[in-house]
Short mmCIF file of all heavy atoms in Angstrom, two decimals:
data_model
loop_
_atom_site.label_atom_id
_atom_site.label_comp_id
_atom_site.label_asym_id
_atom_site.label_seq_id
_atom_site.Cartn_x
_atom_site.Cartn_y
_atom_site.Cartn_z
N VAL W 18 119.76 -72.52 188.01
CA VAL W 18 119.19 -73.62 188.80
C VAL W 18 119.32 -73.32 190.29
O VAL W 18 118.36 -73.40 191.05
CB VAL W 18 119.86 -74.96 188.44
CG1 VAL W 18 119.42 -76.05 189.42
CG2 VAL W 18 119.54 -75.37 187.02
N GLY W 19 120.53 -72.98 190.71
CA GLY W 19 120.75 -72.69 192.12
C GLY W 19 120.02 -71.45 192.59
O GLY W 19 119.42 -71.44 193.68
N LEU W 20 120.02 -70.40 191.78
CA LEU W 20 119.37 -69.16 192.18
C LEU W 20 117.86 -69.31 192.28
O LEU W 20 117.23 -68.81 193.24
CB LEU W 20 119.72 -68.05 191.18
CG LEU W 20 121.16 -67.54 191.32
CD1 LEU W 20 121.57 -66.78 190.06
CD2 LEU W 20 121.29 -66.64 192.53
N MET W 21 117.25 -70.00 191.35
CA MET W 21 115.80 -70.20 191.40
C MET W 21 115.42 -71.10 192.57
O MET W 21 114.40 -70.87 193.23
CB MET W 21 115.31 -70.77 190.07
CG MET W 21 115.41 -69.81 188.91
SD MET W 21 114.83 -70.51 187.34
CE MET W 21 113.08 -70.68 187.69
N THR W 22 116.25 -72.10 192.84
CA THR W 22 115.97 -72.98 193.98
C THR W 22 116.08 -72.20 195.28
O THR W 22 115.24 -72.34 196.18
CB THR W 22 116.95 -74.16 193.98
OG1 THR W 22 116.82 -74.89 192.76
CG2 THR W 22 116.68 -75.09 195.15
N ALA W 23 117.11 -71.37 195.39
CA ALA W 23 117.29 -70.57 196.61
C ALA W 23 116.12 -69.61 196.81
O ALA W 23 115.59 -69.48 197.93
CB ALA W 23 118.60 -69.79 196.52
N ASP W 24 115.69 -68.95 195.74
CA ASP W 24 114.55 -68.03 195.85
C ASP W 24 113.28 -68.78 196.26
O ASP W 24 112.49 -68.28 197.08
CB ASP W 24 114.31 -67.33 194.52
CG ASP W 24 115.25 -66.14 194.31
OD1 ASP W 24 115.83 -65.67 195.29
OD2 ASP W 24 115.37 -65.70 193.15
N THR W 25 113.09 -69.96 195.72
CA THR W 25 111.90 -70.74 196.05
C THR W 25 111.91 -71.15 197.52
O THR W 25 110.89 -71.04 198.22
CB THR W 25 111.82 -71.99 195.16
OG1 THR W 25 111.74 -71.59 193.78
CG2 THR W 25 110.58 -72.82 195.49
N PHE W 26 113.05 -71.62 198.01
CA PHE W 26 113.17 -71.97 199.42
C PHE W 26 112.91 -70.74 200.30
O PHE W 26 112.21 -70.82 201.32
CB PHE W 26 114.55 -72.53 199.74
CG PHE W 26 114.74 -73.98 199.39
CD1 PHE W 26 115.95 -74.45 198.91
CD2 PHE W 26 113.72 -74.89 199.56
CE1 PHE W 26 116.14 -75.79 198.61
CE2 PHE W 26 113.88 -76.24 199.26
CZ PHE W 26 115.10 -76.68 198.78
N GLY W 27 113.49 -69.62 199.92
CA GLY W 27 113.31 -68.41 200.71
C GLY W 27 111.86 -67.99 200.81
O GLY W 27 111.37 -67.64 201.90
N LEU W 28 111.14 -68.05 199.69
CA LEU W 28 109.73 -67.68 199.69
C LEU W 28 108.89 -68.67 200.49
O LEU W 28 108.01 -68.29 201.26
CB LEU W 28 109.22 -67.61 198.25
CG LEU W 28 109.68 -66.40 197.43
CD1 LEU W 28 109.30 -66.58 195.96
CD2 LEU W 28 109.07 -65.11 197.98
N ALA W 29 109.17 -69.97 200.30
CA ALA W 29 108.39 -70.99 200.98
C ALA W 29 108.59 -70.96 202.50
O ALA W 29 107.64 -71.19 203.26
CB ALA W 29 108.75 -72.37 200.44
N LEU W 30 109.81 -70.68 202.92
CA LEU W 30 110.13 -70.70 204.35
C LEU W 30 110.00 -69.34 205.01
O LEU W 30 109.99 -69.24 206.24
CB LEU W 30 111.56 -71.20 204.56
CG LEU W 30 111.86 -72.63 204.08
CD1 LEU W 30 113.36 -72.92 204.16
CD2 LEU W 30 111.07 -73.65 204.90
N GLY W 31 109.92 -68.28 204.20
CA GLY W 31 109.86 -66.94 204.75
C GLY W 31 111.15 -66.52 205.40
O GLY W 31 111.16 -65.84 206.44
N VAL W 32 112.28 -66.91 204.79
CA VAL W 32 113.60 -66.58 205.36
C VAL W 32 114.40 -65.79 204.33
O VAL W 32 114.14 -65.86 203.13
CB VAL W 32 114.37 -67.86 205.77
CG1 VAL W 32 113.58 -68.64 206.81
CG2 VAL W 32 114.68 -68.74 204.56
N PRO W 33 115.41 -65.04 204.78
CA PRO W 33 116.21 -64.26 203.84
C PRO W 33 117.09 -65.14 202.95
O PRO W 33 117.48 -66.25 203.35
CB PRO W 33 117.08 -63.38 204.75
CG PRO W 33 117.12 -64.09 206.05
CD PRO W 33 115.81 -64.79 206.19
N VAL W 34 117.37 -64.65 201.75
CA VAL W 34 118.26 -65.33 200.81
C VAL W 34 119.45 -64.40 200.54
O VAL W 34 119.26 -63.27 200.08
CB VAL W 34 117.54 -65.67 199.49
CG1 VAL W 34 118.49 -66.40 198.55
CG2 VAL W 34 116.30 -66.50 199.76
N HIS W 35 120.64 -64.88 200.84
CA HIS W 35 121.86 -64.08 200.69
C HIS W 35 122.70 -64.60 199.53
O HIS W 35 122.87 -65.82 199.38
CB HIS W 35 122.70 -64.15 201.97
CG HIS W 35 121.99 -63.73 203.21
ND1 HIS W 35 121.57 -62.44 203.43
CD2 HIS W 35 121.61 -64.45 204.31
CE1 HIS W 35 120.97 -62.37 204.62
NE2 HIS W 35 120.99 -63.57 205.17
N GLY W 36 123.26 -63.71 198.76
CA GLY W 36 124.17 -64.09 197.70
C GLY W 36 125.62 -64.01 198.14
O GLY W 36 125.98 -63.20 198.99
N VAL W 37 126.44 -64.87 197.57
CA VAL W 37 127.89 -64.81 197.76
C VAL W 37 128.53 -65.09 196.41
O VAL W 37 128.12 -66.04 195.71
CB VAL W 37 128.40 -65.84 198.80
CG1 VAL W 37 129.93 -65.82 198.88
CG2 VAL W 37 127.80 -65.57 200.17
N CYS W 38 129.50 -64.29 196.02
CA CYS W 38 130.20 -64.53 194.76
C CYS W 38 130.87 -65.90 194.81
O CYS W 38 131.57 -66.23 195.77
CB CYS W 38 131.24 -63.43 194.55
SG CYS W 38 132.30 -63.68 193.11
N THR W 39 130.63 -66.70 193.78
CA THR W 39 131.20 -68.04 193.73
C THR W 39 132.73 -68.01 193.78
O THR W 39 133.35 -68.86 194.43
CB THR W 39 130.73 -68.75 192.45
OG1 THR W 39 129.29 -68.87 192.50
CG2 THR W 39 131.35 -70.13 192.30
N LEU W 40 133.34 -67.04 193.14
CA LEU W 40 134.80 -66.92 193.18
C LEU W 40 135.29 -66.65 194.61
O LEU W 40 136.35 -67.14 195.01
CB LEU W 40 135.26 -65.79 192.25
CG LEU W 40 134.88 -65.91 190.77
CD1 LEU W 40 135.42 -64.71 189.99
CD2 LEU W 40 135.39 -67.21 190.18
N ASP W 41 134.50 -65.90 195.39
CA ASP W 41 134.86 -65.66 196.80
C ASP W 41 134.87 -66.96 197.60
O ASP W 41 135.70 -67.14 198.50
CB ASP W 41 133.89 -64.67 197.44
CG ASP W 41 134.02 -63.26 196.88
OD1 ASP W 41 134.93 -63.00 196.07
OD2 ASP W 41 133.19 -62.41 197.27
N GLY W 42 133.92 -67.85 197.28
CA GLY W 42 133.89 -69.14 197.96
C GLY W 42 135.13 -69.96 197.68
O GLY W 42 135.69 -70.60 198.57
N LEU W 43 135.57 -69.96 196.43
CA LEU W 43 136.80 -70.67 196.07
C LEU W 43 138.00 -70.07 196.78
O LEU W 43 138.87 -70.79 197.28
CB LEU W 43 137.00 -70.62 194.56
CG LEU W 43 136.34 -71.73 193.75
CD1 LEU W 43 136.19 -71.33 192.30
CD2 LEU W 43 137.16 -73.01 193.87
N ALA W 44 138.07 -68.75 196.82
CA ALA W 44 139.18 -68.09 197.50
C ALA W 44 139.20 -68.43 198.98
O ALA W 44 140.26 -68.69 199.57
CB ALA W 44 139.07 -66.58 197.32
N HIS W 45 138.03 -68.45 199.59
CA HIS W 45 137.93 -68.75 201.02
C HIS W 45 138.41 -70.17 201.31
O HIS W 45 139.10 -70.42 202.30
CB HIS W 45 136.48 -68.58 201.47
CG HIS W 45 136.28 -68.72 202.95
ND1 HIS W 45 136.73 -67.78 203.85
CD2 HIS W 45 135.69 -69.68 203.69
CE1 HIS W 45 136.43 -68.16 205.08
NE2 HIS W 45 135.79 -69.31 205.01
N ALA W 46 138.05 -71.11 200.44
CA ALA W 46 138.46 -72.50 200.64
C ALA W 46 139.95 -72.69 200.41
O ALA W 46 140.58 -73.54 201.05
CB ALA W 46 137.67 -73.41 199.70
N ALA W 47 140.54 -71.90 199.51
CA ALA W 47 141.96 -72.03 199.22
C ALA W 47 142.81 -71.61 200.40
O ALA W 47 143.85 -72.22 200.70
CB ALA W 47 142.32 -71.20 197.99
N ASP W 48 142.41 -70.53 201.08
CA ASP W 48 143.11 -70.06 202.28
C ASP W 48 144.61 -69.84 202.02
O ASP W 48 145.46 -70.23 202.81
CB ASP W 48 142.91 -71.06 203.43
CG ASP W 48 143.18 -70.42 204.79
OD1 ASP W 48 143.06 -69.19 204.88
OD2 ASP W 48 143.52 -71.15 205.74
N LEU W 49 144.92 -69.20 200.89
CA LEU W 49 146.30 -68.85 200.57
C LEU W 49 146.69 -67.57 201.31
O LEU W 49 145.87 -66.70 201.56
CB LEU W 49 146.48 -68.67 199.07
CG LEU W 49 146.27 -69.92 198.21
CD1 LEU W 49 146.41 -69.57 196.73
CD2 LEU W 49 147.26 -71.01 198.58
N ALA W 50 147.97 -67.45 201.62
CA ALA W 50 148.43 -66.34 202.45
C ALA W 50 148.56 -65.03 201.69
O ALA W 50 148.27 -63.96 202.21
CB ALA W 50 149.77 -66.71 203.09
#
């Protein structure tokens, strides 16, 4: 759902679409030392 929506927005707007690993997002938010 998210990937197809992102691709559709990118095509419609003519802008780049970047991926980020979902686990990396969780790690970034945790901010453990």
Side-chain angles (χ1 to χ4, degrees):
V18 171
L20 286 163
M21 292 180 67
T22 301
D24 279 343
T25 300
F26 279 144
L28 287 170
L30 298 172
V32 300
V34 181
H35 304 293
V37 176
C38 174
T39 298
L40 301 180
D41 291 355
L43 272 160
H45 187 70
D48 200 25
L49 295 177

